[in-house]
Structures are given as C-alpha cells and as structure tokens.
Amino acid sequence: MSFFSDIGSFFKKVGKGIKRGGEIAYKGVKNNVFTDKVAKGIKSAVNTIGRGLQAPAKFIKKIDPLKGKLGGFSPISLAGDIALALPSGIGYLGQLSTDRKLQNKLASGDLNTILDTGFSGLAVGGGLGNAFKSALKPASRKLSGKLAKALRPT
C-alpha cells in the first residue's frame, strides 16, 4: 500500500527467515554436535583439568622434606597451599562438578569433603574478588577524575 508498509513487510519476511534459519541451525547443532560422546568427552576433560590444576600443590606436599619431622605441620606445604590456593580451588570445583564419587561423598556428609569444598570456594571467591578489585581500581580512578572535572563549577 504505502512505502512504510512495504518496508515493514520486508522486515517481517527477513525476521521469519532468520528465525527459520536459527531453528534449523539449532536443531543441527543439537542433533549432531552435542551427542552423548561429546558430553562424556567434556566431562572427562573437565575432570582431568581439575585434577591437573591440583597437582602442583599435591606434588609439593609429596616431596616436602619437613613433612614428617614437625608432627604433620610443614611451612613448605603451607606456603605451597597458600600460593596455589586459587588454581587448586578452581581445579577442585571443576573436579567436583563432574566426579560422581566426590559428589556422593559431599552429599553423604563426609567432613573432609565438606571442608575441601568450603575452602576451595573461599579461595576461588577471594581470588576472583581481588582480581576484579585490582582490575577495576584504575578504571574507577579515571572515572572519578573525569566526574570531578565534569562536576567542577566553572
């Protein structure tokens, strides 16, 4: 009828075409990419990476020369645990997300598993919080400086 109705019908047709194309692509990806084999592969990869992230701290504890001499306490192991808390925490939570045995131990109320889960959450949360804080601090300083200049009376 008019110029604008022609443009509107054109965009409706384009929208329907995009929707149909998106649905076809979604079905193709769903049916061909995300199969059971792929899901099992992703689970095993996450589990392996999680265990790999925990390996350096475990290795330090294993080779620690003071391990048996101070009654279970060792400053070397403690320093290693503190230094590697963030990657070990991420690895533990990754392993927990895919390892059914670990999930069952947590659900049954195993004290060591509960403590490991809590402390890994604290390590990851604290590390990410500090990373965000240190990343945002320069940006907030620049923004506050620009705001102060903009709000300064002339």
Side-chain angles (χ1 to χ4, degrees):
M1 294 193 26
S2 72
F3 177 71
F4 292 111
S5 64
D6 291 341
I7 291 175
S9 66
F10 170 75
F11 281 112
K12 281 185 183 178
K13 289 178 185 176
V14 168
K16 286 181 183 179
I18 291 172
K19 182 179 177 186
R20 270 191 237 122
E23 288 173 352
I24 290 170
Y26 171 74
K27 287 179 184 176
V29 167
K30 179 181 162 191
N31 293 336
N32 296 321
V33 175
F34 293 114
T35 60
D36 288 338
K37 285 184 179 180
V38 172
K40 287 179 183 177
I42 290 171
K43 275 186 172 182
S44 69
V46 168
N47 201 357
T48 303
I49 290 169
R51 282 186 269 129
L53 286 172
Q54 297 173 55
K58 290 181 180 179
F59 179 72
I60 289 172
K61 286 181 184 177
K62 181 181 170 187
I63 65 166
D64 188 4
L66 299 174
K67 177 174 51 178
K69 297 179 181 176
L70 298 174
F73 171 76
S74 172
I76 297 171
S77 294
L78 180 64
D81 284 341
I82 291 170
L84 297 169
L86 184 60
S88 293
I90 291 170
Y92 180 81
L93 293 175
Q95 184 182 2
L96 180 67
S97 68
T98 58
D99 190 358
R100 198 50 91 183
K101 289 180 186 176
L102 201 55
Q103 292 171 2
N104 290 338
K105 283 176 71 174
L106 183 64
S108 69
D110 182 42
L111 183 62
N112 287 333
T113 308
I114 292 170
L115 289 173
D116 287 344
T117 304
F119 284 126
S120 65
L122 286 174
V124 171
L128 291 178
N130 288 338
F132 284 127
K133 190 183 344 175
S134 64
L136 293 177
K137 198 178 284 187
S140 67
R141 286 184 184 144
K142 286 181 184 177
L143 182 64
S144 65
K146 288 181 180 180
L147 276 173
K149 285 180 183 178
L151 297 175
R152 189 177 307 145
T154 56

